[in-house]
Amino acid sequence: MFQTFIDTLADLAVKSGIAGFFAIDGGWKFAVMILISFVLMYLAIVREFEPLLLLPIAFGMFLANLPVAGLSSYIEGGLIYYLYQGVKMGIYPPLIFLGIGAMTDFGPLIANPKSFLLGAAAQLGIFLTFIGALLLGFTPQEAGSIGIIGGADGPTAIFTTTKLAPHLLPSVAIAAYSYMALVPIIQPPIMKALTTQKERMVVMEQLRPVSKRERLLFPIITTLVVSLLIPDAAVLVGMLMLGNLLKESGVTERLSKTAQNELMNIITIFLGVSVGATSSADRFLSPQTLYIIALGLVAFSFGTAGGVLLGKVMYKLSGGKVNPLIGSAGVSAVPMAARVSQRVGAEYNPANFLLMHAMGPNVAGVIGSAVAAGVLISILG
Amino acid sequence: MDWNLAGAVILSGLVIVFLILGILICVVAITGRLSGTGKSGKAAPAPAAVKATASVPAAKPAPAVQAGISGETVAVISAAVAALMDEQAPGMNYAVTGIRRKRFSRPVWGFAGMQQNTRPF
């Protein structure tokens, strides 16, 4: 009996996760990945960097790298494998867009449609980084997935990557969400370097009121225009606009609230955990991941610069009525990028209130990055 | 590296993004003008001072208020009516002509709670 007990303990020890660190080939990599997941958890919990997504992603990474547990998104049969099918089949990102649409006020964009141009200019980083990635030896499909990080839109980055280069999903998703979280740190130096103090102090005119009819027509017209011209972007833009129509119609309050809260939260948990669980040690720990993280920063910086530079052009053309700082909000990270424009503007003129003006390019950036994703998928997919 | 492909992706990507968002600018601007709230091409002429003065509507008579209803309650009810009218019929002329207590068998807050709870069904 005693011998059986000893044998059972020995058998458990051999099959345990602790033994896995030493017995499995490259077992130390699991320990490194677990440490990385702890760093991400720290950033999410203590520093509050995009915690709603970063925390599930970090915990998914933690689960996927527990040796022997078999909780990676790629190991068939487990819970996380089935949750991951929503990512793999492109279901979660459009549903997240539904929630974003239900939460977003497109009023500032409707009041000042020229903001669309700033949202377009901020997509510059996507295409410039595409070249950088090609130069580093990535395939065109991989380069497209890496470039889309510059759109600063997590669901769009995930959606594009699942279509073009699914094997890069963990690196692209983590880079995209990390940089979105770091918007307040990355953007201000670029904004200040590209603008003069006089430009930063421009006080913009108050936006006109937007009628309910305009708010109702906007989602329908936008879906029609984008979907007919770029069918690959239809699912993202369509769901974004459906969410917005639920909100603006005023007759589907329950659906709008569900899209904004319960549905959005459920999908966020599923998406975060399953994306995090794709980053198993064997797939994540490679020089390629470092390249992707570096290129993501380049994409993000060029996107910010593109928006600010077009803002400067609009400043000149409007005779000094447009504050170029709102251009940086064209990278879609909603509403963080708009808050950064407001904060930097207020540093130079505390009475200046740029937030609503920056929300226009900010939500235009969401549409712009979805269109850019559609273009990349249609050319490279 | 395939420079042709890279050039094609960048050129078509940027042109298409600007083109589509440019089309949206035009469509949104046209929708704004048709609904009468967008900026027109020409700035509207400033109304003459005399005309503006003449067009100011005469002050509406104060609403007939039932005894026992305080001025503060009248102000709150008027503000609520103004907010509702502004939301549901912007630009419509209206006046609060009277405020009186409603005879009602069910307590008003109880009725409001019941309405809120049963509205979805």
Side-chain angles (χ1 to χ4, degrees), chain B residues 91-117:
Chain B
M92 186 181 166
N93 281 323
Y94 60 91
V96 178
T97 54
I99 296 174
R100 62 181 186 278
R101 292 185 193 282
K102 180 92 178 154
R103 293 178 71 82
F104 204 62
S105 57
R106 190 192 294 268
V108 69
W109 287 113
F111 182 69
M114 186 199 70
Q115 269 197 321
Q116 189 174 359
N117 288 332

mmCIF file of all heavy atoms in Angstrom, chain B residues 91-117:
data_model
loop_
_atom_site.group_PDB
_atom_site.id
_atom_site.type_symbol
_atom_site.label_atom_id
_atom_site.label_comp_id
_atom_site.label_asym_id
_atom_site.label_seq_id
_atom_site.Cartn_x
_atom_site.Cartn_y
_atom_site.Cartn_z
ATOM 1 N N GLY B 91 -37.616 73.886 -32.155
ATOM 2 C CA GLY B 91 -38.041 75.051 -32.934
ATOM 3 C C GLY B 91 -39.539 75.333 -32.841
ATOM 4 O O GLY B 91 -40.022 76.353 -33.339
ATOM 5 N N MET B 92 -40.290 74.462 -32.211
ATOM 6 C CA MET B 92 -41.746 74.654 -32.145
ATOM 7 C C MET B 92 -42.086 75.698 -31.071
ATOM 8 O O MET B 92 -41.475 75.725 -30.012
ATOM 9 C CB MET B 92 -42.399 73.312 -31.792
ATOM 10 C CG MET B 92 -43.896 73.326 -31.831
ATOM 11 S SD MET B 92 -44.508 71.710 -31.356
ATOM 12 C CE MET B 92 -46.225 72.097 -31.076
ATOM 13 N N ASN B 93 -43.068 76.544 -31.404
ATOM 14 C CA ASN B 93 -43.503 77.543 -30.421
ATOM 15 C C ASN B 93 -44.506 76.915 -29.460
ATOM 16 O O ASN B 93 -45.403 76.185 -29.886
ATOM 17 C CB ASN B 93 -44.170 78.733 -31.123
ATOM 18 C CG ASN B 93 -43.122 79.657 -31.689
ATOM 19 O OD1 ASN B 93 -42.067 79.854 -31.085
ATOM 20 N ND2 ASN B 93 -43.380 80.182 -32.879
ATOM 21 N N TYR B 94 -44.356 77.188 -28.212
ATOM 22 C CA TYR B 94 -45.295 76.653 -27.223
ATOM 23 C C TYR B 94 -45.253 77.555 -26.000
ATOM 24 O O TYR B 94 -44.347 78.392 -25.867
ATOM 25 C CB TYR B 94 -44.908 75.213 -26.814
ATOM 26 C CG TYR B 94 -43.551 75.115 -26.198
ATOM 27 C CD1 TYR B 94 -43.395 75.228 -24.815
ATOM 28 C CD2 TYR B 94 -42.413 74.950 -26.989
ATOM 29 C CE1 TYR B 94 -42.139 75.179 -24.244
ATOM 30 C CE2 TYR B 94 -41.164 74.894 -26.424
ATOM 31 C CZ TYR B 94 -41.026 75.011 -25.060
ATOM 32 O OH TYR B 94 -39.781 74.962 -24.497
ATOM 33 N N ALA B 95 -46.228 77.405 -25.164
ATOM 34 C CA ALA B 95 -46.237 78.172 -23.914
ATOM 35 C C ALA B 95 -46.879 77.343 -22.824
ATOM 36 O O ALA B 95 -47.814 76.570 -23.090
ATOM 37 C CB ALA B 95 -47.032 79.465 -24.120
ATOM 38 N N VAL B 96 -46.351 77.471 -21.621
ATOM 39 C CA VAL B 96 -46.970 76.797 -20.464
ATOM 40 C C VAL B 96 -48.053 77.744 -19.972
ATOM 41 O O VAL B 96 -47.762 78.845 -19.497
ATOM 42 C CB VAL B 96 -45.924 76.528 -19.357
ATOM 43 C CG1 VAL B 96 -46.579 75.877 -18.142
ATOM 44 C CG2 VAL B 96 -44.803 75.650 -19.886
ATOM 45 N N THR B 97 -49.293 77.328 -20.172
ATOM 46 C CA THR B 97 -50.390 78.266 -19.840
ATOM 47 C C THR B 97 -50.957 78.029 -18.447
ATOM 48 O O THR B 97 -51.584 78.913 -17.876
ATOM 49 C CB THR B 97 -51.531 78.133 -20.868
ATOM 50 O OG1 THR B 97 -51.914 76.761 -20.908
ATOM 51 C CG2 THR B 97 -51.078 78.589 -22.249
ATOM 52 N N GLY B 98 -50.773 76.844 -17.918
ATOM 53 C CA GLY B 98 -51.320 76.615 -16.589
ATOM 54 C C GLY B 98 -50.704 75.394 -15.931
ATOM 55 O O GLY B 98 -50.261 74.477 -16.633
ATOM 56 N N ILE B 99 -50.632 75.423 -14.621
ATOM 57 C CA ILE B 99 -50.122 74.265 -13.877
ATOM 58 C C ILE B 99 -51.090 73.989 -12.740
ATOM 59 O O ILE B 99 -51.367 74.881 -11.925
ATOM 60 C CB ILE B 99 -48.703 74.536 -13.325
ATOM 61 C CG1 ILE B 99 -47.721 74.721 -14.483
ATOM 62 C CG2 ILE B 99 -48.250 73.403 -12.407
ATOM 63 C CD1 ILE B 99 -46.332 75.123 -14.052
ATOM 64 N N ARG B 100 -51.676 72.813 -12.740
ATOM 65 C CA ARG B 100 -52.600 72.470 -11.644
ATOM 66 C C ARG B 100 -52.410 71.009 -11.246
ATOM 67 O O ARG B 100 -51.887 70.204 -12.033
ATOM 68 C CB ARG B 100 -54.050 72.729 -12.064
ATOM 69 C CG ARG B 100 -54.509 71.894 -13.238
ATOM 70 C CD ARG B 100 -55.961 72.234 -13.600
ATOM 71 N NE ARG B 100 -56.458 71.345 -14.621
ATOM 72 C CZ ARG B 100 -56.226 71.493 -15.920
ATOM 73 N NH1 ARG B 100 -55.490 72.522 -16.363
ATOM 74 N NH2 ARG B 100 -56.712 70.631 -16.784
ATOM 75 N N ARG B 101 -52.817 70.708 -10.041
ATOM 76 C CA ARG B 101 -52.656 69.338 -9.537
ATOM 77 C C ARG B 101 -53.620 68.410 -10.264
ATOM 78 O O ARG B 101 -54.752 68.783 -10.549
ATOM 79 C CB ARG B 101 -52.956 69.290 -8.042
ATOM 80 C CG ARG B 101 -51.934 70.013 -7.211
ATOM 81 C CD ARG B 101 -52.211 69.820 -5.728
ATOM 82 N NE ARG B 101 -51.422 70.768 -4.951
ATOM 83 C CZ ARG B 101 -50.130 70.614 -4.693
ATOM 84 N NH1 ARG B 101 -49.495 69.556 -5.155
ATOM 85 N NH2 ARG B 101 -49.482 71.506 -3.985
ATOM 86 N N LYS B 102 -53.113 67.207 -10.560
ATOM 87 C CA LYS B 102 -53.938 66.216 -11.251
ATOM 88 C C LYS B 102 -54.580 65.324 -10.199
ATOM 89 O O LYS B 102 -53.899 64.850 -9.283
ATOM 90 C CB LYS B 102 -53.028 65.388 -12.166
ATOM 91 C CG LYS B 102 -53.693 64.326 -12.963
ATOM 92 C CD LYS B 102 -54.120 64.835 -14.318
ATOM 93 C CE LYS B 102 -54.753 63.702 -15.116
ATOM 94 N NZ LYS B 102 -55.681 64.206 -16.100
ATOM 95 N N ARG B 103 -55.905 65.116 -10.318
ATOM 96 C CA ARG B 103 -56.558 64.193 -9.390
ATOM 97 C C ARG B 103 -56.289 62.786 -9.901
ATOM 98 O O ARG B 103 -56.586 62.460 -11.038
ATOM 99 C CB ARG B 103 -58.065 64.464 -9.335
ATOM 100 C CG ARG B 103 -58.393 65.799 -8.706
ATOM 101 C CD ARG B 103 -59.889 66.032 -8.712
ATOM 102 N NE ARG B 103 -60.584 65.155 -7.761
ATOM 103 C CZ ARG B 103 -60.678 65.417 -6.452
ATOM 104 N NH1 ARG B 103 -60.126 66.506 -5.958
ATOM 105 N NH2 ARG B 103 -61.330 64.606 -5.661
ATOM 106 N N PHE B 104 -55.685 61.978 -9.065
ATOM 107 C CA PHE B 104 -55.234 60.676 -9.532
ATOM 108 C C PHE B 104 -55.286 59.702 -8.380
ATOM 109 O O PHE B 104 -54.832 60.006 -7.282
ATOM 110 C CB PHE B 104 -53.782 60.834 -10.037
ATOM 111 C CG PHE B 104 -53.389 59.782 -11.028
ATOM 112 C CD1 PHE B 104 -54.047 59.672 -12.230
ATOM 113 C CD2 PHE B 104 -52.339 58.921 -10.757
ATOM 114 C CE1 PHE B 104 -53.678 58.715 -13.146
ATOM 115 C CE2 PHE B 104 -51.965 57.955 -11.666
ATOM 116 C CZ PHE B 104 -52.631 57.846 -12.873
ATOM 117 N N SER B 105 -55.873 58.528 -8.621
ATOM 118 C CA SER B 105 -56.048 57.589 -7.510
ATOM 119 C C SER B 105 -54.732 56.925 -7.108
ATOM 120 O O SER B 105 -54.519 56.585 -5.965
ATOM 121 C CB SER B 105 -57.075 56.526 -7.898
ATOM 122 O OG SER B 105 -56.650 55.874 -9.069
ATOM 123 N N ARG B 106 -53.807 56.725 -8.085
ATOM 124 C CA ARG B 106 -52.549 56.037 -7.778
ATOM 125 C C ARG B 106 -51.470 57.080 -7.464
ATOM 126 O O ARG B 106 -51.407 58.098 -8.146
ATOM 127 C CB ARG B 106 -52.125 55.228 -8.995
ATOM 128 C CG ARG B 106 -50.968 54.285 -8.740
ATOM 129 C CD ARG B 106 -50.444 53.760 -10.056
ATOM 130 N NE ARG B 106 -51.416 52.906 -10.748
ATOM 131 C CZ ARG B 106 -51.470 51.592 -10.605
ATOM 132 N NH1 ARG B 106 -50.636 50.972 -9.801
ATOM 133 N NH2 ARG B 106 -52.353 50.886 -11.259
ATOM 134 N N PRO B 107 -50.607 56.846 -6.472
ATOM 135 C CA PRO B 107 -49.534 57.813 -6.199
ATOM 136 C C PRO B 107 -48.683 58.014 -7.458
ATOM 137 O O PRO B 107 -48.360 57.048 -8.149
ATOM 138 C CB PRO B 107 -48.711 57.141 -5.085
ATOM 139 C CG PRO B 107 -49.600 56.115 -4.510
ATOM 140 C CD PRO B 107 -50.562 55.710 -5.570
ATOM 141 N N VAL B 108 -48.316 59.275 -7.724
ATOM 142 C CA VAL B 108 -47.676 59.588 -9.004
ATOM 143 C C VAL B 108 -46.334 58.878 -9.181
ATOM 144 O O VAL B 108 -45.999 58.411 -10.270
ATOM 145 C CB VAL B 108 -47.565 61.123 -9.169
ATOM 146 C CG1 VAL B 108 -46.558 61.705 -8.192
ATOM 147 C CG2 VAL B 108 -47.194 61.481 -10.596
ATOM 148 N N TRP B 109 -45.543 58.736 -8.088
ATOM 149 C CA TRP B 109 -44.244 58.061 -8.223
ATOM 150 C C TRP B 109 -44.421 56.562 -8.441
ATOM 151 O O TRP B 109 -43.661 55.934 -9.178
ATOM 152 C CB TRP B 109 -43.360 58.309 -6.992
ATOM 153 C CG TRP B 109 -42.840 59.718 -6.985
ATOM 154 C CD1 TRP B 109 -43.158 60.698 -6.102
ATOM 155 C CD2 TRP B 109 -41.939 60.292 -7.932
ATOM 156 N NE1 TRP B 109 -42.528 61.859 -6.432
ATOM 157 C CE2 TRP B 109 -41.756 61.638 -7.548
ATOM 158 C CE3 TRP B 109 -41.285 59.827 -9.060
ATOM 159 C CZ2 TRP B 109 -40.941 62.509 -8.251
ATOM 160 C CZ3 TRP B 109 -40.469 60.693 -9.768
ATOM 161 C CH2 TRP B 109 -40.292 62.013 -9.375
ATOM 162 N N GLY B 110 -45.483 56.022 -7.789
ATOM 163 C CA GLY B 110 -45.788 54.604 -8.006
ATOM 164 C C GLY B 110 -46.170 54.348 -9.457
ATOM 165 O O GLY B 110 -45.746 53.366 -10.072
ATOM 166 N N PHE B 111 -46.950 55.279 -10.022
ATOM 167 C CA PHE B 111 -47.381 55.138 -11.407
ATOM 168 C C PHE B 111 -46.169 55.225 -12.353
ATOM 169 O O PHE B 111 -46.048 54.439 -13.302
ATOM 170 C CB PHE B 111 -48.393 56.245 -11.733
ATOM 171 C CG PHE B 111 -48.939 56.148 -13.128
ATOM 172 C CD1 PHE B 111 -49.791 55.112 -13.496
ATOM 173 C CD2 PHE B 111 -48.589 57.087 -14.086
ATOM 174 C CE1 PHE B 111 -50.281 55.027 -14.789
ATOM 175 C CE2 PHE B 111 -49.077 57.001 -15.383
ATOM 176 C CZ PHE B 111 -49.939 55.977 -15.738
ATOM 177 N N ALA B 112 -45.267 56.181 -12.048
ATOM 178 C CA ALA B 112 -44.070 56.339 -12.895
ATOM 179 C C ALA B 112 -43.214 55.076 -12.852
ATOM 180 O O ALA B 112 -42.706 54.619 -13.874
ATOM 181 C CB ALA B 112 -43.255 57.547 -12.418
ATOM 182 N N GLY B 113 -43.085 54.485 -11.634
ATOM 183 C CA GLY B 113 -42.290 53.263 -11.489
ATOM 184 C C GLY B 113 -42.909 52.117 -12.269
ATOM 185 O O GLY B 113 -42.219 51.380 -12.972
ATOM 186 N N MET B 114 -44.238 52.014 -12.194
ATOM 187 C CA MET B 114 -44.912 50.931 -12.905
ATOM 188 C C MET B 114 -44.737 51.096 -14.419
ATOM 189 O O MET B 114 -44.446 50.146 -15.137
ATOM 190 C CB MET B 114 -46.400 50.943 -12.554
ATOM 191 C CG MET B 114 -47.175 49.781 -13.128
ATOM 192 S SD MET B 114 -48.931 50.095 -13.164
ATOM 193 C CE MET B 114 -49.054 51.338 -14.416
ATOM 194 N N GLN B 115 -44.842 52.346 -14.875
ATOM 195 C CA GLN B 115 -44.671 52.608 -16.317
ATOM 196 C C GLN B 115 -43.278 52.203 -16.777
ATOM 197 O O GLN B 115 -43.097 51.580 -17.817
ATOM 198 C CB GLN B 115 -44.874 54.089 -16.588
ATOM 199 C CG GLN B 115 -46.314 54.442 -16.913
ATOM 200 C CD GLN B 115 -46.391 55.793 -17.572
ATOM 201 O OE1 GLN B 115 -45.669 56.703 -17.191
ATOM 202 N NE2 GLN B 115 -47.267 55.923 -18.556
ATOM 203 N N GLN B 116 -42.271 52.562 -15.961
ATOM 204 C CA GLN B 116 -40.886 52.256 -16.346
ATOM 205 C C GLN B 116 -40.661 50.740 -16.404
ATOM 206 O O GLN B 116 -40.001 50.241 -17.306
ATOM 207 C CB GLN B 116 -39.925 52.898 -15.349
ATOM 208 C CG GLN B 116 -38.481 52.805 -15.810
ATOM 209 C CD GLN B 116 -37.547 53.576 -14.902
ATOM 210 O OE1 GLN B 116 -37.980 54.196 -13.937
ATOM 211 N NE2 GLN B 116 -36.280 53.522 -15.182
ATOM 212 N N ASN B 117 -41.242 50.041 -15.422
ATOM 213 C CA ASN B 117 -41.010 48.596 -15.366
ATOM 214 C C ASN B 117 -41.757 47.829 -16.452
ATOM 215 O O ASN B 117 -41.344 46.752 -16.851
ATOM 216 C CB ASN B 117 -41.414 48.044 -13.995
ATOM 217 C CG ASN B 117 -40.426 48.469 -12.933
ATOM 218 O OD1 ASN B 117 -39.263 48.698 -13.222
ATOM 219 N ND2 ASN B 117 -40.905 48.602 -11.705
#
